[in-house]
Amino acid sequence: MSSHEIFRLSADEDGEGTRLDRFLAGCLEGQSREYLTRLISGGMVRVNGAPVKKNYRIRTGDLLEVELPEPEPLEVEPEDIPLEILYEDTDLIVVNKPRGMVVHPAPGSTRGTLVNALLHHCRDLSGINGVMRPGIVHRIDKDTSGILVVAKTDRAHQELAVQFKDHTICRRYQALVHGQIEETAGRVEAPIGRDPSDRKRMAVNLEHGKEAATEYRVLERFPGYSLVELTLETGRTHQIRVHMKMLGFPLVGDDKYHGRKNPFGVRGQMLHAGFLGFVHPVTGESMEFSCEPPEEFKNVLNILRREETTDHE
């Protein structure tokens, strides 16, 4: 039996001209470019049946084979990192993830993540996602704060995964965006896929993207900014960030999708997953959880509110 998992990929025209290591990093989630470069150098990546160098440029129609070695023995250590637990039982745990914390380890970076903290708190996480991502059913970005549900058992994991796949889980976010949105509410429907010019980014991709829909509602308006509530109908990578950029209202602090300087000194996008609703995977009970944005988020809102009050005096 082979000790390697083989991924086969076909390059479409969006990948044309992209360097091999960058292309693979965009296609193989959770694998760093450094790790993939080592695989390429070791002859474990073939293009059209032959080994190539990392600086090979992708051509439309290329057939790629990537051999991924089996994960090494578990090296993700439990760490005594404080957790804000909103709910916990024998099947699942619901937490409020702080900004700046990565959800799960990746090759070469195995400390300080939510998984490290969870392994210290409860060692009975589901094993469906393997040794690096035990219990993780869904994720939010490192600099996005908010609510996550984590499965303790395989049964809970499988049932929750079905709810996410069927889009029956309710997820609402708060975001501070650049610009004043005139409409009270609206809906964005635009497919999202890899950005052909940068495989690390997502973009509206009409030809090769997956369907994505986001509802938004304006909560407050400030000079030059809007506080909005966003509800995900689908769950594509960076969906809110991409859709709001498309509308012309990029998230404050989002360096990946917007180059405008953040005047408030907050690092990362101002996005908070403040509401999560789902059906308990075992009991069938409807469950809803909410939490306020972190202090730095609220501090920025207070600054804007004070400035608006001063302008009207």
Side-chain angles (χ1 to χ4, degrees):
M1 183 179 293
S2 172
S3 61
H4 296 74
E5 185 176 6
I6 298 179
F7 284 85
R8 293 178 174 87
L9 308 167
S10 178
D12 57 34
E13 60 186 24
D14 284 347
E16 180 75 34
T18 305
R19 235 174 70 149
L20 176 61
D21 55 345
R22 178 174 292 179
F23 178 83
L24 290 177
C27 295
L28 300 176
E29 188 175 352
Q31 308 297 336
S32 69
R33 283 178 64 181
E34 181 182 0
Y35 177 68
L36 291 168
T37 297
R38 292 201 301 269
L39 294 183
I40 296 169
S41 299
M44 302 182 76
V45 177
R46 293 177 292 278
V47 179
N48 303 320
V52 291
K53 295 182 178 180
K54 67 178 181 180
N55 59 356
Y56 174 85
R57 298 283 175 173
I58 294 294
R59 299 170 185 168
T60 302
D62 277 347
L63 299 177
L64 293 81
E65 287 188 351
V66 183
E67 289 187 56
L68 289 180
E70 285 187 349
E72 297 179 1
L74 179 60
E75 295 181 0
V76 182
E77 297 291 337
E79 292 184 67
D80 189 4
I81 301 171
L83 286 171
E84 183 180 346
I85 298 171
L86 305 181
Y87 175 83
E88 182 177 11
D89 61 23
T90 57
D91 301 294
L92 55 85
I93 181 170
V94 180
V95 300
N96 179 19
K97 185 192 81 70
R99 295 189 67 214
M101 174 181 275
V102 176
V103 171
H104 63 76
S109 177
T110 60
R111 299 189 65 82
T113 73
L114 179 63
V115 165
N116 294 102
L118 287 167
L119 286 173
H120 182 272
H121 174 75
C122 54
R123 296 175 182 267
D124 53 345
L125 299 176
S126 81
I128 289 178
N129 268 339
V131 298
M132 302 297 273
R133 292 184 284 176
I136 301 302
V137 186
H138 66 126
R139 293 171 294 168
I140 55 180
D141 297 329
K142 173 183 176 182
D143 288 323
T144 300
S145 58
I147 304 174
L148 286 166
V149 57
V150 178
K152 287 186 171 184
T153 66
D154 289 352
R155 176 186 176 185
H157 196 132
Q158 291 165 343
E159 293 292 335
L160 287 169
V162 169
Q163 293 183 48
F164 276 100
K165 182 179 179 181
D166 293 342
H167 310 308
T168 57
I169 286 183
C170 182
R171 287 174 286 174
R172 289 202 294 266
Y173 292 69
Q174 286 188 26
L176 184 68
V177 301
H178 289 278
Q180 283 198 333
I181 303 175
E182 295 182 0
E183 300 87 358
T184 301
R187 185 173 183 272
V188 190
E189 187 171 352
I192 292 176
R194 293 287 171 185
D195 186 333
S197 63
D198 184 351
R199 305 290 296 186
K200 285 288 189 179
R201 291 167 29 124
M202 309 302 288
V204 171
N205 190 322
L206 298 178
E207 190 171 355
H208 300 291
K210 295 181 179 179
E211 64 172 319
T214 307
E215 293 183 353
Y216 65 90
R217 180 170 66 93
V218 177
L219 300 177
E220 288 185 71
R221 294 182 180 88
F222 312 100
Y225 302 94
S226 300
L227 177 65
V228 292
E229 179 183 80
L230 304 117
T231 301
L232 293 182
E233 294 184 20
T234 54
R236 306 304 174 202
T237 300
H238 298 172
Q239 177 173 318
I240 288 173
R241 298 161 70 181
V242 171
H243 275 172
M244 295 312 292
K245 177 191 176 184
M246 185 197 78
L247 291 180
F249 305 105
L251 272 62
V252 172
D254 191 350
D255 293 337
K256 183 179 285 288
Y257 293 101
H258 185 61
R260 192 179 304 179
K261 185 177 180 181
N262 178 1
F264 305 107
V266 176
R267 296 186 62 183
Q269 66 276 357
M270 294 195 63
L271 181 62
H272 175 67
F275 179 89
L276 182 67
F278 58 91
V279 174
H280 193 286
V282 176
T283 68
E285 177 188 359
S286 293
M287 310 189 79
E288 294 183 350
F289 301 94
S290 60
C291 63
E292 293 188 351
E295 286 302 314
E296 57 186 348
F297 195 126
K298 292 191 287 187
N299 289 341
V300 171
L301 296 180
N302 288 334
I303 290 171
L304 292 171
R305 288 166 184 148
R306 286 197 297 269
E307 289 179 351
E308 187 176 31
T309 300
T310 301
D311 290 341
H312 285 84
E313 288 179 351

